[in-house]
Structures are given as C-alpha cells and as structure tokens.
Amino acid sequence: MAEINNQDPKFMDFMFHGLDHGIASISEAGGPLVPFLMTQVGDKKELKRFVTEKYEDGISAAENALKELNVNPDFALIAFDGFITWEEKKYDAIFVKAFDKTQDEGFEFCQRYLPKKEGIGIEPTGNSAFIGKIENIVFLKSDTKEAPTIEKKKPWWKF
C-alpha cells in the first residue's frame, strides 16, 4: 500500500510540477485548463494536451492515452480543471492524478484558485491539498500482461 509520506522526492517534485504547470497555463487568460497528460521516463518529460468537444472527454482521452503507451513511464500525471468544496465554499481547482510505476496506488491532489481581482486570469489560493489515493493506471497496466494460456488436457478417465 502506497503511503504519501514515504514517496520518492523525484515523484513528489514531478507531481507538484504538474500542479504548477496547470496553474501557470491559465494564470493569464483564465480557465478552464485543457486536460493534459505529462509523463517522465528517466529525465525526459513529455506533455500532451487533449482538446475535445466535451470537457470530460479530454480527461478520459488522457487516461486512455496513458493506458495505451508502449513504454510504462516512471511517473505520469493527468491534470484537469474541476471544483472542490472547501470549508463549505465551492472553489475552482486544478486537479492532478499522479502515478509512480513502482507504487500500487496513485495519488490525487488539487490546487484551488480564484479569478484575479483586477484584469483577466487566475491566482492560486491556499495550499495544495491531498485528495486521496486512487487506482494506479500505470501499475495496473504493467501488472495485467496476460500469461500464456496453457491448454489443459482432460484426464484419460474423462474421455
């Protein structure tokens, strides 16, 4: 079972980099954030955005793209815009679902934001928040490779 306080510092840096990139992407023009998939293999990071007609389809497309990668990344995250209720108040927030291929679970974080008081854009408010553990798409993918099926022969007395 993955414990948030015992994670590889490189993974945590990667996850917070995704949150920061999400906030920076909409800081000048405002939201919503176009969902994106960020992966890291070794020191190489890649980012792909998913523009779709329905916003939710972009998140699903990012998840499917991650599941279909030929090489399991060391780290992966899916970032998207959403809402969270915090202390009985609804906030816009950037959400990140982060995955380390060595962990059996992933983690979800968010960063709340507000419209700028003057002009267009947004600014983060408060600290990032740990939402909880989630299913690790990368770990499951590497774990689901089917073993070759062995055809069992009937015992001689069942012919």
Side-chain angles (χ1 to χ4, degrees):
M1 183 177 288
E3 291 300 324
I4 191 65
N5 294 326
N6 296 327
Q7 295 304 305
D8 181 341
K10 289 180 183 179
F11 173 58
M12 295 305 289
D13 288 345
F14 174 79
M15 192 277 308
F16 282 110
H17 177 71
L19 265 180
D20 292 344
H21 183 77
I23 290 290
S25 294
I26 62 171
S27 66
E28 296 302 316
L33 174 71
V34 174
F36 65 85
L37 168 64
M38 185 184 294
T39 58
Q40 181 173 334
V41 177
D43 291 334
K44 184 180 177 189
K45 290 181 184 153
E46 290 188 16
L47 186 137
K48 182 176 180 184
R49 295 189 185 276
F50 295 85
V51 179
T52 56
E53 193 170 317
K54 287 177 48 184
Y55 190 81
E56 301 80 23
D57 292 343
I59 300 165
S60 297
E63 290 175 354
N64 290 335
L66 177 56
K67 291 175 185 176
E68 293 171 3
L69 289 175
N70 291 330
V71 175
N72 277 355
D74 298 329
F75 309 131
L77 64 81
I78 297 168
F80 56 94
D81 216 323
F83 300 100
I84 187 168
T85 302
W86 192 268
E87 296 178 345
E88 299 181 16
K89 185 176 177 187
K90 186 176 177 180
Y91 288 92
D92 290 298
I94 300 298
F95 287 82
V96 165
K97 294 181 178 184
F99 312 100
D100 176 339
K101 75 176 182 180
T102 66
Q103 297 294 316
D104 59 343
E105 296 173 300
F107 301 101
E108 187 170 14
F109 283 80
C110 80
Q111 175 62 58
R112 295 174 291 145
Y113 67 85
L114 298 169
K116 286 184 178 175
K117 291 178 181 165
E118 293 182 21
I120 300 171
I122 60 100
E123 51 192 12
T125 184
N127 295 323
S128 57
F130 174 58
I131 303 299
K133 295 179 184 180
I134 57 174
E135 182 177 70
N136 188 336
I137 299 169
V138 176
F139 180 81
L140 288 175
K141 181 181 153 195
S142 63
D143 206 31
T144 58
K145 292 186 174 131
E146 292 183 32
T149 55
I150 300 170
E151 186 178 326
K152 293 184 179 181
K153 295 183 179 179
K154 291 181 181 179
W156 62 269
W157 63 87
K158 290 191 175 182
F159 284 104

